[in-house]
Amino acid sequence: MRALKQPPGGSGRKGRVRTRDGKAAAVFLAPWLFGLVVITAGPMLMSLYLSFTDYNLLSNANFTGLDNIQHMLNDDRLAKSLTVTLIYVFVSTPIQLAFALGLAVVLDRGLRGLSLYRSIFYLPSLLGSSVAVAVLWKRVFGVDGLVNQFLAVFGIDGPGWISSPSTALSTLILLHVWTFGAPMVIFLAGLRQIPREFYEAASVDGASRWQQFRTITVPMLSPIVFFNLVLGLIGAFQSFTQAFVVSDGRGGPSDSTLFYTLYLYQQGFVNFNMGYASALAWLLLLIIALFTAINFWVSKFWVFYDN
Amino acid sequence: MTTDTSVAPPVAQPPQQPASVHTSRRGVRSRIGSVLRHALLILAAFVMLYPLLWMIASSLRPDNEIFSSYGIFVNTFDTSHYPDGWNALAQPFSGYLLNSAIVVLGAILGNLVSCSMAAYAFARLDFPFKRSAFAVMLLTIMLPVHVVIVPQYILWANLDLINTFVPLILPKWLATDAFFIFLMVQFIRGIPRELDEAARIDGAGHARIFLRIILPLMVPALATTTIFTFIWTWNDFFTQLIFLTDPNLYTVPVALRSFIDAQENSSYGSLFAMSVVSLIPIFLAFLLGQRYLIQGIATTGGK
């Protein structure tokens, strides 16, 4: 019936549909748009502003120009937390991905019980970020914890892994590696997309398993390796819970587990230096953006897209 | 006809050669290889699960044995850690479980409603600045929460909503977990457009198409969202630590953390017992939702 009222000509109908869509879109997107403005974009702008102030929640914010940046340059704990975080990110992520890829390749070879293995390896990824597992880790690597009880069987007197500055960070790296299941599942999905014919052709040509892995699996999987690498780095930079629980919120011993986010939390929500914490947050964003950009640039040289 | 190669599934795969075709020597070799591989995988799985099994065992041991047992078999069962831990803090542990349940339920409902609405708009509607809006939405997935947490805290403090569950639940109703919008957009794109077009010819508006056609068909994506929201919110520590300082409102992770402060070294048994309790819901969600979890993780890596 409505069609009768339409003006003649093709464009009228299309235009009408468009405006109707526009109104509907406004309704469907309303919650998201409101959230974008009030919960995300607004606070981003505000934290950018606060990073040039001395806001401390109690008194009004004073614009202090580049004072916070000046302070950052002379802040030894910031330097320490950056070092700790960079070591954590750039050691644990590649090891984690290596485990994920290795086990995905083993599991992909038409193995019986695949889904059971996959579930077992995936489970720690779900639990790894919980306070409960961080508590467990603290205990496992304590002076008289599980690891040292085990070492004692062989007559080895293990150190207090968590309480010694030289080993505390390694235990957290190990915890992160333990959660390799999530990238492993992504690798498994990617492996399934590689046509089997490639392997058949290669083995007809007499290529060994290792050669097949290097010349077929790695290039075909490189976009997914890249994807896991980008997401893994971004995620690792934001780790918080494990370091917080293991060090009772202090980042000790001797700041050896002072993750960047933990330092930011201390500045913002323990000392209420909210201006400085905002500056730290923006530096974190810039660092993550920088490494992501480098990642994308480098990917041109090793990521292989078949289309 | 160039499209054929990209769209069509691999044509005429040669029938899989049955294993018996192999010469017997290769057969034996591959069987040994497979046994070795299983042995290795079982060992790896065991090592992975060992700390968790040890924690469960330790929660059932007398305290003095926790410090001397590395095994996962319990000689003397001591279940007293569970009631002890349950009542060790300002309120029974059930209170913290309830707080977490409220936050998790609110977050799940919020994500389901708001993200599915936004996803429908991005996947099916035509509107100005759609591409830019979509790009902005994708960028917010990457945004560290730390960049917005200070102003958010100030916002909620000014609204006098610190120490309520509002800062933890309301953002989910505003689709701030953009990851799920993306997941749902990808899913809706897989639903044939003919279905909504047929409904539109029958006179249905977008509300009706969304509610009657798209939503029922995207149940798998909604299930994935539900389970991930459940696990992430249950595990979330950072925002709950910041927004909840009243012990009566503590959620499970924050309560566990204050447990450490209160109990330091006095009873690791009860700490482990409550840790086990806190992990049970995640474990159940994992068992029930495995299929959706795996799918959800796998599709994020897909193209």
Side-chain angles (χ1 to χ4, degrees):
Chain A
M1 295 298 272
R2 272 193 201 158
L4 291 176
K5 290 183 197 155
Q6 262 194 342
S11 62
R13 192 181 142 78
K14 174 121 201 214
R16 213 171 62 95
V17 168
R18 224 169 209 284
T19 46
R20 194 172 63 180
D21 265 13
K23 273 184 205 151
V27 173
F28 279 95
L29 284 176
W32 174 74
L33 261 175
F34 189 70
L36 183 71
V37 172
V38 175
I39 309 286
T40 309
M44 273 184 86
L45 289 176
M46 188 169 170
S47 97
L48 188 60
Y49 165 72
L50 285 177
S51 61
F52 296 101
T53 70
D54 62 356
Y55 189 57
N56 61 6
L57 205 64
L58 303 172
S59 49
N60 284 333
N62 298 306
F63 191 80
T64 55
L66 301 179
D67 275 11
N68 282 331
I69 296 170
Q70 187 93 43
H71 184 195
M72 283 167 138
L73 294 172
N74 300 314
D75 185 346
D76 290 341
R77 291 196 81 204
L78 171 60
K80 177 75 183 177
S81 77
L82 263 175
T83 314
V84 166
T85 307
L86 289 174
I87 293 173
Y88 174 78
V89 169
F90 287 102
V91 173
S92 69
T93 313
I95 300 179
Q96 190 198 45
L97 291 192
F99 269 93
L101 180 58
L103 278 160
V105 169
V106 173
L107 287 181
D108 186 51
R109 289 196 164 265
L111 206 68
R112 220 176 284 172
L114 162 78
S115 62
L116 182 64
Y117 287 125
R118 186 180 55 191
S119 302
I120 293 175
F121 291 136
Y122 180 55
L123 182 64
S125 300
L126 297 179
L127 308 179
S129 63
S130 66
V131 169
V133 164
V135 165
L136 168 66
W137 225 251
K138 192 180 180 186
R139 195 69 209 111
V140 163
F141 287 96
V143 181
D144 44 11
L146 175 62
V147 171
N148 283 350
Q149 287 166 25
F150 184 73
L151 290 176
V153 176
F154 304 98
I156 301 169
D157 201 7
W161 303 91
I162 294 280
S163 51
S164 153
S166 56
T167 49
L169 183 58
S170 313
T171 62
L172 293 180
I173 289 176
L174 197 65
L175 174 51
H176 193 56
V177 171
W178 187 60
T179 61
F180 66 78
M184 184 197 71
V185 169
I186 298 177
F187 279 136
L188 272 171
L191 285 169
R192 202 164 293 168
Q193 312 225 335
I194 302 177
R196 296 287 129 175
E197 296 84 46
F198 289 7
Y199 293 105
E200 282 158 23
S203 61
V204 167
D205 289 346
S208 69
R209 284 259 165 103
W210 173 243
Q211 280 170 327
Q212 290 178 30
F213 177 74
R214 260 186 36 221
T215 56
I216 301 171
T217 311
V218 171
M220 293 294 285
L221 211 57
S222 58
I224 292 172
V225 176
F226 174 64
F227 175 88
N228 272 335
L229 192 63
V230 170
L231 281 199
L233 291 182
I234 292 175
F237 266 112
Q238 301 178 51
S239 300
F240 174 79
T241 308
Q242 304 87 332
F244 185 97
V245 172
V246 159
S247 69
D248 297 326
R250 288 191 285 271
S254 316
D255 287 348
S256 62
T257 61
L258 186 66
F259 283 13
Y260 193 93
T261 52
L262 188 48
Y263 185 53
L264 191 155
Y265 169 81
Q266 289 179 356
Q267 286 293 343
F269 297 95
V270 179
N271 305 332
F272 293 107
N273 293 328
M274 296 215 152
Y276 193 54
S278 300
L280 289 174
W282 273 88
L283 180 62
L284 176 68
L285 182 63
L286 291 178
I287 291 172
I288 291 178
L290 175 72
F291 280 111
T292 307
I294 291 176
N295 230 325
F296 269 89
W297 185 74
V298 172
S299 76
K300 282 191 288 195
F301 301 103
W302 67 273
V303 176
F304 166 83
Y305 293 99
D306 56 347
N307 45 359
Chain B
M1 283 291 107
T2 44
T3 49
D4 272 359
T5 46
S6 60
V7 178
V11 234
Q13 281 207 342
Q16 290 282 318
Q17 289 199 337
S20 58
V21 172
H22 289 296
T23 61
S24 63
R25 227 163 98 209
R26 278 191 67 182
V28 169
R29 232 178 83 188
S30 77
R31 204 170 306 152
I32 292 175
S34 138
V35 168
L36 271 177
R37 235 180 312 141
H38 276 290
L40 201 78
L41 283 170
I42 290 170
L43 184 72
F46 188 65
V47 171
M48 293 273 298
L49 293 184
Y50 202 93
L52 295 170
L53 297 172
W54 181 77
M55 176 166 70
I56 297 169
S58 294
S59 73
L60 294 164
R61 281 180 180 132
D63 263 329
N64 59 338
E65 278 185 33
I66 297 177
F67 296 90
S68 58
S69 310
Y70 52 83
I72 52 173
F73 298 105
V74 184
N75 297 321
T76 353
F77 271 93
D78 179 355
T79 50
S80 66
H81 293 311
Y82 283 83
D84 286 354
W86 197 270
N87 297 310
L89 290 173
Q91 60 173 323
F93 210 76
S94 48
Y96 308 117
L97 289 167
L98 182 67
N99 290 341
S100 267
I102 294 169
V103 171
V104 166
L105 192 69
I108 289 175
L109 289 176
N111 270 345
L112 288 178
V113 171
S114 66
C115 294
S116 64
M117 285 172 65
Y120 179 77
F122 282 123
R124 283 296 202 257
L125 300 179
D126 189 23
F127 56 91
F129 306 112
K130 179 171 162 174
R131 289 174 77 92
S132 342
F134 193 68
V136 168
M137 188 274 287
L138 289 181
L139 277 179
T140 60
I141 298 179
M142 306 282 174
L143 186 76
V145 61
H146 313 89
V147 179
V148 289
I149 194 79
V150 166
Q152 278 184 12
Y153 183 85
I154 297 167
L155 170 74
W156 300 121
N158 281 330
L159 294 171
D160 213 10
L161 289 170
I162 301 292
N163 278 323
T164 67
F165 296 138
V166 175
L168 301 170
I169 294 175
L170 187 63
K172 313 288 178 179
W173 286 85
L174 302 175
T176 51
D177 278 354
F179 169 75
F180 297 116
I181 304 181
F182 176 67
L183 192 95
M184 292 182 193
V185 166
Q186 296 296 85
F187 194 89
I188 296 175
R189 281 179 179 162
I191 299 174
R193 266 183 187 270
E194 287 79 29
L195 290 174
D196 2 343
E197 270 154 21
R200 189 170 316 176
I201 288 165
D202 290 345
H206 284 298
R208 188 183 285 243
I209 294 173
F210 172 65
L211 290 171
R212 291 285 169 81
I213 295 175
I214 300 293
L215 267 189
L217 287 173
M218 63 190 283
V219 165
L222 299 177
T224 303
T225 301
T226 303
I227 288 162
F228 272 106
T229 307
F230 184 101
I231 290 174
W232 288 348
T233 311
W234 191 272
N235 273 342
D236 173 39
F237 178 59
F238 187 67
T239 50
Q240 296 175 6
L241 176 73
I242 285 172
F243 293 130
L244 303 173
T245 53
D246 174 357
N248 287 321
L249 295 173
Y250 279 176
T251 51
V252 169
V254 189
L256 261 186
R257 187 259 152 162
S258 74
F259 205 132
I260 309 176
D261 290 354
Q263 298 283 114
E264 190 70 77
N265 293 326
S266 61
S267 171
Y268 259 101
S270 4
L271 184 53
F272 280 161
M274 291 308 103
S275 296
V276 171
V277 167
S278 81
L279 290 180
I280 288 173
I282 302 180
F283 192 70
L284 289 179
F286 169 70
L287 285 183
L288 292 173
Q290 244 193 84
R291 192 158 63 95
Y292 300 107
L293 281 166
I294 301 280
Q295 269 173 10
I297 277 284
T299 45
T300 50
K303 318 209 163 144

